[in-house]
Amino acid sequence: MTITIIKNFKVIFNLFLLLFMFLFSSCAPQSRKANLSDNYYQCKLFEDNSNRVYFSENQNDVSNIELSKFYDSENDFDIMIYSHLEGSKNYNLKRIYKTSKGNWMEITIVNGNKNESNLIFNEVEIIDELDNVQEKAFFQYCGMCFDCRYYTFLIKKGKSIFKYYSNGEVFEGIDKHEKEKLYNYINIYDFFIKK
């Protein structure tokens, strides 16, 4: 009798373990890039507040120092693209700005290592989009995700700041009508992410 109970317990335990493993693996983060088309979306877009953002609690961190320069500068245009891997010190920062002398500068910081250089491109390619930057803020929510990369995209034109925060690939996985509303900002992002 006890042998039958032990066998039944083992069968029940193994079934429970299999069910638990299946449920756990189905909650694991999956690639959000896969099979995203204009008709399929899994992220939601929400209007957000225009509050100042911070990249870390340490104000002396090189990324926060660069962020302060972004907010405090009086450049004609200032673009910042920041991403970090949740739960790690792994981050990338790219800041592109136009000086008062009309020169474009690029600063990249990867995990604390900073590089600065002149950026040369034909401004005519993107000036219309930059001139149309408005004070707006959005949050792109792509569901619960662990060990994902989070993005902050900021554009400053004079005193107006556009802010976009995402817990998924920037501008990916959102409804095509929402993408149409953000067309100007998507063009700016695509243009400078490739520079």
Side-chain angles (χ1 to χ4, degrees):
M1 179 102 173
T2 54
I3 294 175
T4 307
I5 293 173
I6 291 173
K7 283 184 179 180
N8 287 339
F9 178 76
K10 283 183 177 180
V11 170
I12 292 171
F13 179 76
N14 286 336
L15 286 173
F16 178 74
L17 187 61
L18 273 170
L19 179 64
F20 178 76
M21 289 175 55
F22 173 76
L23 290 174
F24 182 75
S25 67
S26 68
C27 293
Q30 299 171 2
S31 173
R32 291 189 173 117
K33 293 182 181 179
N35 299 325
L36 292 178
S37 69
D38 288 338
N39 297 325
Y40 173 79
Y41 61 94
Q42 62 188 17
C43 302
K44 296 290 183 189
L45 191 65
F46 301 97
E47 287 191 27
D48 199 6
N49 62 48
S50 296
N51 294 347
R52 187 174 179 141
V53 299
Y54 297 93
F55 296 147
S56 77
E57 293 178 10
N58 179 1
Q59 294 306 310
N60 295 322
D61 184 283
V62 69
S63 63
N64 270 340
I65 292 170
E66 204 59 46
L67 182 63
S68 291
K69 290 178 183 178
F70 169 87
Y71 279 110
D72 298 338
S73 75
E74 295 192 16
N75 297 322
D76 290 341
F77 300 107
D78 219 318
I79 296 104
M80 184 166 286
I81 302 167
Y82 176 83
S83 68
H84 75 278
L85 185 63
E86 181 185 36
S88 77
K89 294 182 180 180
N90 181 342
Y91 72 89
N92 294 307
L93 181 145
K94 185 176 196 177
R95 179 177 172 220
I96 300 163
Y97 62 94
K98 185 178 181 181
T99 67
S100 59
K101 294 180 180 179
N103 298 324
W104 284 90
M105 302 298 295
E106 178 181 43
I107 295 171
T108 56
I109 303 172
V110 178
N111 301 328
N113 298 319
K114 181 177 174 179
N115 291 311
E116 189 170 347
S117 61
N118 286 324
L119 186 62
I120 299 170
F121 63 94
N122 187 352
E123 191 176 301
V124 174
E125 296 177 62
I126 198 68
I127 197 66
D128 288 340
E129 285 87 349
L130 289 171
D131 280 337
N132 287 314
V133 169
Q134 297 175 355
E135 184 93 18
K136 293 184 177 186
F138 294 98
F139 172 60
Q140 176 183 319
Y141 178 69
C142 298
M144 292 286 290
C145 186
F146 303 101
D147 298 329
C148 288
R149 191 160 282 278
Y150 289 79
Y151 297 86
T152 304
F153 176 46
L154 303 167
I155 308 170
K156 188 169 85 165
K157 175 192 158 198
K159 300 287 183 196
S160 297
I161 296 178
F162 172 82
K163 179 174 88 171
Y164 197 91
Y165 178 77
S166 175
N167 73 339
E169 293 291 323
V170 180
F171 302 118
E172 292 297 325
I174 58 175
D175 181 86
K176 67 180 179 179
H177 300 294
E178 292 172 334
K179 270 191 169 183
E180 287 170 8
K181 291 188 289 188
L182 297 167
Y183 181 76
N184 186 56
Y185 305 102
I186 293 170
N187 284 344
I188 295 169
Y189 180 82
D190 288 345
F191 185 82
F192 286 108
I193 200 72
K194 294 172 185 171
K195 291 291 174 203

